[in-house]
């Protein structure tokens, strides 16, 4: 089983930032309103995530770290409301690192902890803890040294972790996030309201005031596909497309077609080597999109890619024109 889990880990867990993504998603699925992320050594020596979510009971702990045990499977694979549903993340992480999970359900008066080291699961022991869940991952990839060799510098891994937290934080403005580790990458994102005002404040927290105060508001709908969010004015550009945040039905995605639509929208106003900054949210019938093509890559397949592209290009061009740019 450890070997199967390590193979799965090769798919799901590419680098420390993938661990952070999976654990933050679990915390969000558990309904947490506060998520604290701490890292050391670019996430390779330590990743610790503390949430104040529902928690899980002591007898569920062994299941949580076993393969294909998920509490989230819905009958309809297209209608996935929660972020996780494969039951692969924890066993994968446990097979390549030293993982510990301690949890106390809301209202319970005791907590318990379980450990997994390179695939070996310990027994559940009682511990003292606040309601919610703390997951610690130490010595990532110690059990798969070949994978360790692929890691970039500590600084690059820390930057990737910061990106993951920012990306998730934009989708959940009402959740308070903090990230600590190195000063350069620490984040403190207080909770804001879940409405449009809150989103703009979260955008200011994550993407900076200069962007939030000058960005063009984007709003459009066509054939049941709704688009909203913000896109930068042509004078606010970047040398890479890192600051382009896309969400499909509340889930962060990275996708070449969406990046291509942005290039198309700004084609006449930006030189090829400059990139707009955007935070764009698409909502559409979940049956018309597949966001689970690959567990780690978060790319997306639309039933009608042309419609989505046209909607984005049209909405941004319209916003550029009406603002006189
Ligand atoms: P998935 O998220 O796909 O279900 P995971 O391996 O990520 O699979 O998690 C396995 C299970 O462990 C989850 O279905 C959930 O029941 C439980 N779990 C994991 N993290 C948390 C958490 N932070 N709070 C409460 N339950 C959790
Ligand atoms: Mg999960």
């Amino acid at each position: 089983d450890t070997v199967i889990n390590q193979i799965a880990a090769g798919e799901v867990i590419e680098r420390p930032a993938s661990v952070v993504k999976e654990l933050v998603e679990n915390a969000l699925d558990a309904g947490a309103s506060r998520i604290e992320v701490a890292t050391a050594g670019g996430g390779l020596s330590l990743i610790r995530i503390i949430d104040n979510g529902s928690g899980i009971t002591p007898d569920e702990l062994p299941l949580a770290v076993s393969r294909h045990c998920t509490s989230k499977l819905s009958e309809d694979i297209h209608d996935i409301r929660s972020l996780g549903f494969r039951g692969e993340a924890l066993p994968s992480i446990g097979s390549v690192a030293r993982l510990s999970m301690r949890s106390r359900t809301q209202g319970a008066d005791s907590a318990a902890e379980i450990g997994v080291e390179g695939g070996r699961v310990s027994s559940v022991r009682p511990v003292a803890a606040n309601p919610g869940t703390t997951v610690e991952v130490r010595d990532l990839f110690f059990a798969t040294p070949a994978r360790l060799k692929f890691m970039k510098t500590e600084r690059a891994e820390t930057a990737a972790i910061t990106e993951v937290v920012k990306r998730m934080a934009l989708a959940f403005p009402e959740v308070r996030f903090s990230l600590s580790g190195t000063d350069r990458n620490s984040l403190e994102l207080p909770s804001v309201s879940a409405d449009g005002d809150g989103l703009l404040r979260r955008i200011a927290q994550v993407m900076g005031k200069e962007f939030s105060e000058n960005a063009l508001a984007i709003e459009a709908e066509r054939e049941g596909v709704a688009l909203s969010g913000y896109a930068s004015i042509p004078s606010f550009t970047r040398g890479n497309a890192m600051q382009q945040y896309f969400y499909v039905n509340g889930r962060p995605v990275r996708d070449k077609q969406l990046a291509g639509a942005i290039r198309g929208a700004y084609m006449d106003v930006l030189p090829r080597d400059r990139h707009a900054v955007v935070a764009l949210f698409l909502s559409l019938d979940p049956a018309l999109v597949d966001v689970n093509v690959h567990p780690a890559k978060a790319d997306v397949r639309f039933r009608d890619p042309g419609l989505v592209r046209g909607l984005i290009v049209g909405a941004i061009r319209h916003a550029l024109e009406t603002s006189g740019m």
Side-chain angles (χ1 to χ4, degrees), residues 38-61:
T39 69
L44 287 166
S45 39
L46 173 72
I47 293 168
R48 184 193 299 120
I49 312 240
I50 306 175
D51 73 53
N52 66 347
S54 62
I56 55 173
T57 59
D59 40 304
E60 286 172 325
L61 280 173

Side-chain angles (χ1 to χ4, degrees), residues 178-290:
S178 70
L179 171 65
S180 59
T182 55
D183 293 341
R184 185 196 302 276
N185 288 277
S186 69
L187 288 173
E188 200 52 68
L189 310 174
S191 151
V192 291
S193 57
D195 59 12
D197 285 351
L199 174 62
L200 197 54
R201 288 174 61 197
R202 178 53 58 92
I203 284 175
Q205 293 170 349
V206 169
M207 304 172 74
K209 258 199 148 66
E210 199 194 341
F211 174 71
S212 73
E213 284 169 359
N214 298 299
L216 304 165
I218 305 298
E219 196 83 63
E221 199 188 327
R222 195 185 297 167
E223 291 171 46
V225 183
L227 172 72
S228 67
Y230 295 88
S232 61
I233 53 175
S235 58
F236 191 91
T237 64
R238 292 282 177 265
N240 61 49
M242 279 291 285
Q243 286 211 63
Q244 296 186 346
Y245 298 96
F246 298 105
Y247 300 83
V248 173
N249 293 339
R251 185 188 274 264
V253 298
R254 307 217 67 164
D255 188 80
K256 285 212 176 71
Q257 304 167 69
L258 295 174
I262 301 304
R263 248 191 324 277
Y266 285 88
M267 203 168 62
D268 298 335
V269 292
L270 287 189
R272 274 200 74 81
D273 59 338
R274 300 306 300 174
H275 298 264
V277 175
V278 305
L280 291 173
F281 300 79
L282 282 160
S283 19
L284 69 168
D285 182 343
L288 300 180
V289 60
D290 182 4

Side-chain angles (χ1 to χ4, degrees), residues 26-27 30 51 54-56 64 69-72 84-91 101 133:
N26 282 349
D51 73 53
S54 62
I56 55 173
C69 274
T70 173
S71 55
K72 303 167 194 168
F85 66 96
R86 287 186 173 82
E88 245 175 25
L90 292 180
M101 184 178 200
T133 302

Side-chain angles (χ1 to χ4, degrees), residues 11 80 85-86 251 253-255 257 289-302:
E11 284 278 296
I80 298 149
F85 66 96
R86 287 186 173 82
R251 185 188 274 264
V253 298
R254 307 217 67 164
D255 188 80
Q257 304 167 69
V289 60
D290 182 4
V291 281
N292 296 297
V293 177
H294 186 282
K297 300 245 161 65
D299 49 351
V300 33
R301 277 183 200 154
F302 296 103

